[in-house]
PDB file of all heavy atoms in Angstrom:
ATOM      1  N   PHE A  34      13.180 -26.167  64.925  1.00 96.00           N
ATOM      2  CA  PHE A  34      13.133 -27.626  64.834  1.00 96.00           C
ATOM      3  C   PHE A  34      12.749 -28.222  66.189  1.00 96.00           C
ATOM      4  O   PHE A  34      13.433 -27.955  67.185  1.00 96.00           O
ATOM      5  CB  PHE A  34      14.499 -28.192  64.421  1.00 96.00           C
ATOM      6  CG  PHE A  34      14.898 -27.854  63.018  1.00 96.00           C
ATOM      7  CD1 PHE A  34      15.617 -26.705  62.745  1.00 96.00           C
ATOM      8  CD2 PHE A  34      14.558 -28.684  61.969  1.00 96.00           C
ATOM      9  CE1 PHE A  34      15.995 -26.391  61.449  1.00 96.00           C
ATOM     10  CE2 PHE A  34      14.931 -28.388  60.669  1.00 96.00           C
ATOM     11  CZ  PHE A  34      15.653 -27.240  60.405  1.00 96.00           C
ATOM     12  N   SER A  42      13.840 -34.375  62.405  1.00 95.00           N
ATOM     13  CA  SER A  42      12.911 -33.282  62.661  1.00 95.00           C
ATOM     14  C   SER A  42      12.877 -32.384  61.438  1.00 95.00           C
ATOM     15  O   SER A  42      13.906 -32.200  60.768  1.00 95.00           O
ATOM     16  CB  SER A  42      13.336 -32.493  63.897  1.00 95.00           C
ATOM     17  OG  SER A  42      12.446 -31.421  64.130  1.00 95.00           O
ATOM     18  N   SER A  43      11.702 -31.827  61.150  1.00 96.00           N
ATOM     19  CA  SER A  43      11.551 -31.000  59.948  1.00 96.00           C
ATOM     20  C   SER A  43      10.825 -29.706  60.265  1.00 96.00           C
ATOM     21  O   SER A  43      10.051 -29.627  61.227  1.00 96.00           O
ATOM     22  CB  SER A  43      10.781 -31.760  58.856  1.00 96.00           C
ATOM     23  OG  SER A  43      11.456 -32.933  58.477  1.00 96.00           O
ATOM     24  N   CYS A  44      11.071 -28.711  59.432  1.00 96.00           N
ATOM     25  CA  CYS A  44      10.314 -27.468  59.454  1.00 96.00           C
ATOM     26  C   CYS A  44      10.271 -26.936  58.027  1.00 96.00           C
ATOM     27  O   CYS A  44      10.962 -27.462  57.135  1.00 96.00           O
ATOM     28  CB  CYS A  44      10.919 -26.447  60.414  1.00 96.00           C
ATOM     29  SG  CYS A  44      12.541 -25.825  59.903  1.00 96.00           S
ATOM     30  N   TYR A  69      21.707 -31.182  57.448  1.00 97.00           N
ATOM     31  CA  TYR A  69      20.378 -30.809  56.977  1.00 97.00           C
ATOM     32  C   TYR A  69      20.173 -31.243  55.523  1.00 97.00           C
ATOM     33  O   TYR A  69      21.117 -31.294  54.732  1.00 97.00           O
ATOM     34  CB  TYR A  69      20.162 -29.291  57.082  1.00 97.00           C
ATOM     35  CG  TYR A  69      20.326 -28.756  58.473  1.00 97.00           C
ATOM     36  CD1 TYR A  69      21.550 -28.224  58.895  1.00 97.00           C
ATOM     37  CD2 TYR A  69      19.269 -28.763  59.383  1.00 97.00           C
ATOM     38  CE1 TYR A  69      21.708 -27.719  60.173  1.00 97.00           C
ATOM     39  CE2 TYR A  69      19.428 -28.259  60.669  1.00 97.00           C
ATOM     40  CZ  TYR A  69      20.646 -27.745  61.060  1.00 97.00           C
ATOM     41  OH  TYR A  69      20.805 -27.262  62.319  1.00 97.00           O
ATOM     42  N   CYS A  70      18.904 -31.530  55.224  1.00 97.00           N
ATOM     43  CA  CYS A  70      18.488 -31.844  53.858  1.00 97.00           C
ATOM     44  C   CYS A  70      17.419 -30.833  53.457  1.00 97.00           C
ATOM     45  O   CYS A  70      16.403 -30.691  54.149  1.00 97.00           O
ATOM     46  CB  CYS A  70      17.943 -33.271  53.778  1.00 97.00           C
ATOM     47  SG  CYS A  70      17.325 -33.733  52.159  1.00 97.00           S
ATOM     48  N   VAL A  86       9.529 -24.606  51.022  1.00 98.00           N
ATOM     49  CA  VAL A  86      10.804 -25.318  51.126  1.00 98.00           C
ATOM     50  C   VAL A  86      10.812 -26.066  52.463  1.00 98.00           C
ATOM     51  O   VAL A  86      10.576 -25.459  53.521  1.00 98.00           O
ATOM     52  CB  VAL A  86      12.000 -24.355  51.037  1.00 98.00           C
ATOM     53  CG1 VAL A  86      13.311 -25.115  51.215  1.00 98.00           C
ATOM     54  CG2 VAL A  86      11.995 -23.614  49.701  1.00 98.00           C
ATOM     55  N   THR A  87      11.088 -27.368  52.403  1.00 97.00           N
ATOM     56  CA  THR A  87      11.145 -28.193  53.614  1.00 97.00           C
ATOM     57  C   THR A  87      12.590 -28.476  53.983  1.00 97.00           C
ATOM     58  O   THR A  87      13.376 -28.923  53.139  1.00 97.00           O
ATOM     59  CB  THR A  87      10.399 -29.517  53.410  1.00 97.00           C
ATOM     60  OG1 THR A  87       9.034 -29.249  53.073  1.00 97.00           O
ATOM     61  CG2 THR A  87      10.448 -30.370  54.668  1.00 97.00           C
ATOM     62  N   VAL A  88      12.914 -28.246  55.242  1.00 98.00           N
ATOM     63  CA  VAL A  88      14.268 -28.482  55.745  1.00 98.00           C
ATOM     64  C   VAL A  88      14.180 -29.591  56.797  1.00 98.00           C
ATOM     65  O   VAL A  88      13.425 -29.477  57.767  1.00 98.00           O
ATOM     66  CB  VAL A  88      14.879 -27.219  56.364  1.00 98.00           C
ATOM     67  CG1 VAL A  88      16.316 -27.493  56.824  1.00 98.00           C
ATOM     68  CG2 VAL A  88      14.850 -26.071  55.368  1.00 98.00           C
ATOM     69  N   THR A  89      14.952 -30.658  56.580  1.00 97.00           N
ATOM     70  CA  THR A  89      14.938 -31.804  57.500  1.00 97.00           C
ATOM     71  C   THR A  89      16.278 -31.910  58.203  1.00 97.00           C
ATOM     72  O   THR A  89      17.331 -31.938  57.543  1.00 97.00           O
ATOM     73  CB  THR A  89      14.644 -33.107  56.748  1.00 97.00           C
ATOM     74  OG1 THR A  89      13.374 -33.002  56.093  1.00 97.00           O
ATOM     75  CG2 THR A  89      14.615 -34.296  57.704  1.00 97.00           C
ATOM     76  N   PHE A 106      21.215 -20.590  57.925  1.00 97.00           N
ATOM     77  CA  PHE A 106      20.854 -20.803  56.532  1.00 97.00           C
ATOM     78  C   PHE A 106      20.917 -19.472  55.781  1.00 97.00           C
ATOM     79  O   PHE A 106      20.665 -18.406  56.341  1.00 97.00           O
ATOM     80  CB  PHE A 106      19.435 -21.384  56.429  1.00 97.00           C
ATOM     81  CG  PHE A 106      19.373 -22.851  56.721  1.00 97.00           C
ATOM     82  CD1 PHE A 106      19.365 -23.318  58.025  1.00 97.00           C
ATOM     83  CD2 PHE A 106      19.326 -23.778  55.691  1.00 97.00           C
ATOM     84  CE1 PHE A 106      19.312 -24.672  58.297  1.00 97.00           C
ATOM     85  CE2 PHE A 106      19.277 -25.135  55.950  1.00 97.00           C
ATOM     86  CZ  PHE A 106      19.270 -25.583  57.256  1.00 97.00           C
TER      87      PHE A 106
END
Side-chain angles (χ1 to χ4, degrees):
F34 292 90
S42 179
S43 299
C44 67
Y69 302 95
C70 177
V86 177
T87 301
V88 182
T89 301
F106 281 80

